[in-house]
Amino acid sequence: MEYRDLVVVVTGASTGIGRAATLELVRRGAPVVGLARSAEQLARLAADAHGLPGACHTRSADVSRTDAVTEVLGDVERTHGRIDALVNNAGTGAYRPITETSMAEFEAIMRTNYLGAVACTRAVLPGMLARRNGHIVNVSSPSAFSPPPWQAAYAASKAALDAFSETLLLEVRERGVRVSIVYPGHVITPLTLEDFKGQPLPPKSVCMSAERVAGGVLQALETGRFRVHLPWFTGLTPLVKSVAPEFVRRQTLRAQPPPS
C-alpha cells in the first residue's frame, strides 16, 4: 500500500491507540492529521513524529462538540485537498456500577465514543462519496458484543458504534467507500490502567500494547476487511455466545472484578 498518497485523519491522537496509529502511519510515509483536545500532548506528538518519512499535522478538537469538529474537518479537507481515511479512535469510559455512574457520565461517553464518530464520519463522507474513494476505520471493542459488568456506558457506546458501522457499510460500499471496525482486547493505556486501578489486569492473552492495535488499524486500511479482531480468537465470542450465552456471561463476569 502506498501510504505517501494517503491523507489520514486520526481522532484521539494525543495518547494511547491514536498516538501509536498516528506515529506508525507517519513512519510509513503518510501525511496524517491528528485530532485531540490537548494542545500540549499534540505538540509532543508532533515533536516525536518530526524526522519520520511522512508528515504529522495536528489540530485541537473535541469530537463531542459536533459543530466545532465539523468545522475543523472541513478546514483540514480544504487545506489538504481531500481526506482519504478517517480513523475514529477518540474514546473515554467509566469503570463503576450503573447505580454509581451519573447520567452526565452516560451522556458524555456516548457523545465522545459514538456521536463523535458519527459527526466525524458525516463531515468527511460527502467528499469520499464524490470521489468514490475513502475508508472509515472505527475503533470499537469486544464490549460491543460481549458487554462486561461495571462498564455499561462504555459498552453501550461501542454497541451503538457497531450498529452505525454496519449500516454505514451497507450504504457506501457500492459507492467506493470502505468501512472497517477494529476490536482490540484489553489495551494497556492510561485510560485502562485508571479503570483497573487497584485491580488485577486481565489475562496476558487478551492484553496488548497500543502499538499492536495500531498494527490492526493499518491491517484494516491495507486489507479493507470489515472486522479486525485483536487477538483473532476474540472474534469467536459472538458464535460461542449464540450457543452458550450463560457460559460466556460467567466467563465475562469472572474476568471483570468489581471496582474497589
Side-chain angles (χ1 to χ4, degrees), residues 173-229:
R173 66 179 175 183
E174 300 301 326
R175 302 173 67 184
V177 178
R178 297 169 297 286
V179 180
S180 299
I181 314 175
V182 178
Y183 300 92
H186 291 281
V187 187
I188 306 305
T189 68
L191 175 64
T192 55
L193 288 175
E194 181 65 26
D195 286 344
F196 284 93
K197 198 172 185 179
Q199 303 291 347
L201 289 171
K204 288 185 178 179
S205 61
V206 295
C207 284
M208 64 192 65
S209 66
E211 288 71 24
R212 184 178 176 190
V213 185
V217 171
L218 267 67
Q219 180 184 346
L221 289 170
E222 292 172 5
T223 66
R225 284 175 55 190
F226 179 55
R227 299 186 192 276
V228 176
H229 294 275

Side-chain angles (χ1 to χ4, degrees), residues 2 20 32 34 39 46 54 105 121 130 152 156 186 197 235-236 252-253 257:
E2 185 53 76
V32 183
E105 287 177 303
T121 300
H186 291 281
K197 198 172 185 179
L236 300 175
T252 302
L253 186 59

Side-chain angles (χ1 to χ4, degrees), residues 66 69-74 77 83 86 117-128:
T66 300
V69 76
T70 300
E71 182 178 346
V72 167
L73 287 170
E77 194 161 22
I83 294 173
L86 167 68
V118 173
C120 291
T121 300
R122 292 185 73 253
V124 305
L125 198 56
M128 292 182 176

Side-chain angles (χ1 to χ4, degrees), residues 21-32 49-50 52-57:
T22 298
L23 290 173
E24 186 56 34
L25 284 162
V26 175
R27 196 172 289 116
R28 302 288 182 98
V32 183
H50 181 71
L52 294 176
C56 179
H57 311 276

Side-chain angles (χ1 to χ4, degrees), residues 67-134:
D67 291 344
V69 76
T70 300
E71 182 178 346
V72 167
L73 287 170
D75 186 55
V76 169
E77 194 161 22
R78 287 188 294 273
T79 300
H80 295 272
R82 67 188 190 281
I83 294 173
D84 297 307
L86 167 68
V87 180
N88 282 314
N89 165 75
T92 186
Y95 192 77
R96 58 182 66 92
I98 293 170
T99 54
E100 297 177 18
T101 307
S102 69
M103 281 306 301
E105 287 177 303
F106 270 98
E107 291 169 3
I109 290 169
M110 190 64 76
R111 278 197 301 270
T112 297
N113 296 6
Y114 170 56
L115 294 175
V118 173
C120 291
T121 300
R122 292 185 73 253
V124 305
L125 198 56
M128 292 182 176
L129 291 172
R131 296 188 306 275
R132 297 190 64 83
N133 186 47

Side-chain angles (χ1 to χ4, degrees), residues 9-27:
V9 171
V10 179
T11 70
S14 61
T15 62
I17 297 168
R19 175 184 172 85
T22 298
L23 290 173
E24 186 56 34
L25 284 162
V26 175
R27 196 172 289 116

